[in-house]
Each structure stands twice: as structure tokens, then as C-alpha cells.
Amino acid sequence: MEIDFDKMNGLVPAIIQDATTKTVLMLGFMNKEAYEKTLEIGKVTFYSRTKNRLWTKGEQSGHFLHVVSIKNDCDNDTLLIQVHPEGPVCHTGTDTCWGEKNEANPLLFLSELQDFIEQRHREMPEGSYTTSLFKDGLNRMAQKVGEEALEAVIEAVNGSNERLIYEGSDMLYHLIVLLTAKGMRIEQMAAELQERHNPGWKKH
């Protein structure tokens, strides 16, 4: 990776983002040595302009930033570093340096869940319920979606809200399995709903 450290007198900004939630956590600066140490130890290390030395985030608090990926921007002078944070990021004790909560949107888990289901489809491990669905074939998978949808309807009419969430979750899981078998993604359904939200959308 080519990084232009010369543009800012040996430093580049490093934007720190939670790899899971996509929340921007903080901004720091790196010189070449800080970047190389970050690669070496797998924990974000900055160049402290006030202390005039390398500074690994968390070296005193224990709140390290574990590196997941590092990307360079189009001008090769700004880094985007995705991390798994260990504890709050800001020295004030907040999740981010802007005082924001760093909470995962549960909707993002649907993509993660399908990634996992796709892995099951590739590897087909023995003893996995998901594997058994793929082995049973498309008709059985489609049938399961229908069965779970019916159970969700029954709970909506005659059951409890807790059971509705439970059965609805079963329905959504089996739908994602069916989509995976068809080579499709849950994001395609989200995109379809987004398109329908457009005032100019017309039914196919």
C-alpha cells in the first residue's frame, strides 16, 4: 500500500471505524513508524503530536483497537481503519470521541446471518440443521417458509407478541435459507422495498 506521508509533513489522518456497527469512533494521526507498528501488533498505534511519540490506543486504559482492515483513500493520504474496539474509545469514557453510542443495528445481522448460511451451503457440515435443509431440496425449503409463515399468522391472531416474534424469526430464517439456495440475497429484498418506497414506483 502506497501512503503519501509527505503531504502533511510525515503524517496522515487515520479514521477509525467499528467493523461491525460501521460507527466512526475517532480520528488520529499516523506517521510511517506508527503505521508499521499497527501492522506488526494488530492494534491501532498513532503518532501523538502532543507527546511527540508513538502511542498505541489502550496502552494505559486497556481499551485497544484491534485491526480488522486498513484502506487508503483515492489520494493515498487518508486511512480508513476498521477495528473491533475493546471497551469505550474516548478518554472521557464514551463509545466514540463525539459522545455517540456505538450500538449495532440488529438489521445488519441479517446480512451476517446470510453470510453464515452461505458458508453452511458451501461446506455442508454434518449435524447442521441448515445443512439438512439444503439436502432436503428446494421444495422442502419453500414448504418450511410456508409452515413458519402460517405459525406466525396464528400467533398474531391468537397468540402472544413474544411468540409472534419467535415464529416470525423462524419464518425469516427459512426465507433466507431459501434465498441462498436460489443464489439470491436478503439485500435484494431490501432494495426492492426501497424501490417501492419511491413515489414514482409502479407495480410490476
Side-chain angles (χ1 to χ4, degrees), residues 179-196:
L179 287 172
T180 301
K182 297 283 291 183
M184 304 173 73
R185 292 282 307 187
I186 190 67
E187 292 89 347
Q188 291 174 261
M189 297 185 69
E192 171 67 19
L193 292 172
Q194 185 178 32
E195 184 180 347
R196 293 184 189 186

Side-chain angles (χ1 to χ4, degrees), residues 45-137:
T45 300
F46 298 108
Y47 177 78
S48 172
R49 294 169 296 169
T50 54
K51 299 175 182 178
N52 209 23
R53 66 172 177 85
L54 297 189
W55 164 60
T56 298
K57 181 73 175 74
E59 62 186 23
Q60 293 181 330
S61 66
H63 299 156
F64 296 105
L65 299 172
H66 300 279
V67 176
V68 175
S69 68
I70 301 178
K71 298 176 183 177
N72 206 358
D73 79 340
C74 56
D75 292 322
N76 297 325
D77 61 4
T78 302
L79 300 177
L80 175 63
I81 304 180
Q82 293 191 322
V83 303
H84 289 316
E86 188 176 344
V89 170
C90 186
H91 69 280
T92 64
T94 58
D95 291 347
T96 81
C97 287
W98 292 272
E100 298 175 330
K101 285 284 187 182
N102 181 25
E103 297 176 340
N105 183 341
L107 288 175
L108 295 176
F109 177 70
L110 295 180
S111 292
E112 184 180 337
L113 175 61
Q114 184 156 13
D115 290 341
F116 179 80
I117 290 172
E118 286 180 344
Q119 182 180 353
R120 282 285 194 260
H121 196 202
R122 289 191 303 271
E123 299 175 356
M124 299 290 279
E126 292 296 330
S128 162
Y129 174 68
T130 306
T131 296
S132 70
L133 288 173
F134 287 126
K135 286 183 175 180
D136 286 342

